[in-house]
Amino acid sequence: MSITSAGTEHRPSLLLVDDDATLRERLARAFRERGWDVTTAGDYDEALAAARRDSPEYAVVDLRMPGRNGLEVVRDLLTVDASTRVIVLTGYGSIATTVDAIRLGAVNYLPKPADVDDVLAAFARASGEPSVATPESFEAPSLARAEWEHINRVLADCAGNISEAARKLGIHRRSLQRKLQKYPPSR
């Protein structure tokens, strides 16, 4: 928090968008305990309505939600107010979706589960402030992880069309569907 010229305390505003009510409320409570003014939303429509009522300085948006996804929320939040700093959260991260989120204007991207310290560190990294925990060395992803990210990038390039992605990857459509049903491999 910072003090304004009038001597009053400035509470940063945050819009938290996630369809998982438990995670959303836990994260909202943690931010409120740190002095943030938090508004929550469970989907695209609630998020945009809240942003139009009172545009937030910061936003944390889940990538996968029922109906319209988090990338659409990012795009339209920044249409409402281009100065909103957005971080995308997801349990299904891939390089392709990370690139899409950043292209749309997100300042950072975090894998779930993320706590309030992770989110604050991500906002700090995006603003160029030094963070307390920066990795000293780069750890290359496993071959399985690289394959999973490549498959998801090709699928995103094919607009989600499984048959077209399978043709481009040179594998059978059913094999691709089986690979997509699996959780992403750990690093």
Side-chain angles (χ1 to χ4, degrees):
M1 286 187 289
S2 61
I3 306 297
T4 64
S5 58
T8 59
E9 205 172 288
H10 171 71
R11 293 169 48 102
S13 61
L14 173 76
L15 174 60
L16 189 52
V17 187
D18 197 318
D19 61 314
D20 180 348
T22 304
L23 174 71
R24 182 177 67 234
E25 293 309 317
R26 180 182 58 82
L27 208 49
R29 186 175 343 103
F31 271 100
R32 286 183 184 114
E33 288 171 358
R34 291 179 184 226
W36 288 61
D37 181 21
V38 181
T39 303
T40 61
D43 61 25
Y44 173 91
D45 294 325
E46 289 178 22
L48 268 288
R52 287 185 183 111
R53 275 192 312 272
D54 185 22
S55 178
E57 296 169 69
Y58 299 91
V60 176
V61 178
D62 183 22
L63 179 66
R64 292 205 179 170
M65 295 182 286
R68 299 176 85 172
N69 71 28
L71 294 177
E72 294 175 90
V73 175
V74 170
R75 180 193 64 213
D76 295 345
L77 269 179
L78 293 172
T79 301
V80 171
D81 183 354
S83 68
T84 300
R85 297 168 47 86
V86 182
I87 288 181
V88 174
L89 279 182
T90 188
Y92 307 95
S94 73
I95 291 173
T97 54
T98 302
V99 170
D100 289 344
I102 300 302
R103 281 184 183 156
L104 287 171
V107 297
N108 217 323
Y109 191 93
L110 286 174
K112 281 183 176 178
D115 63 17
V116 68
D117 293 323
D118 296 329
V119 174
L120 290 173
F123 279 127
R125 281 191 305 274
S127 67
E129 298 171 18
S131 71
V132 288
T134 50
E136 293 297 321
S137 64
F138 172 74
E139 187 177 322
S142 68
L143 184 56
R145 180 67 184 200
E147 176 192 39
W148 187 86
E149 289 180 355
H150 178 67
I151 287 170
N152 277 279
R153 184 173 44 250
V154 170
L155 185 61
D157 290 345
C158 295
N161 184 322
I162 301 272
S163 297
E164 182 182 345
R167 273 192 301 279
K168 285 186 176 186
L169 290 166
I171 62 176
H172 194 273
R173 181 183 53 80
R174 287 189 184 188
S175 297
L176 178 57
Q177 287 174 318
R178 277 193 300 276
K179 287 180 181 283
L180 291 171
Q181 287 175 347
K182 296 179 183 175
Y183 289 104
S186 60
R187 297 244 168 228

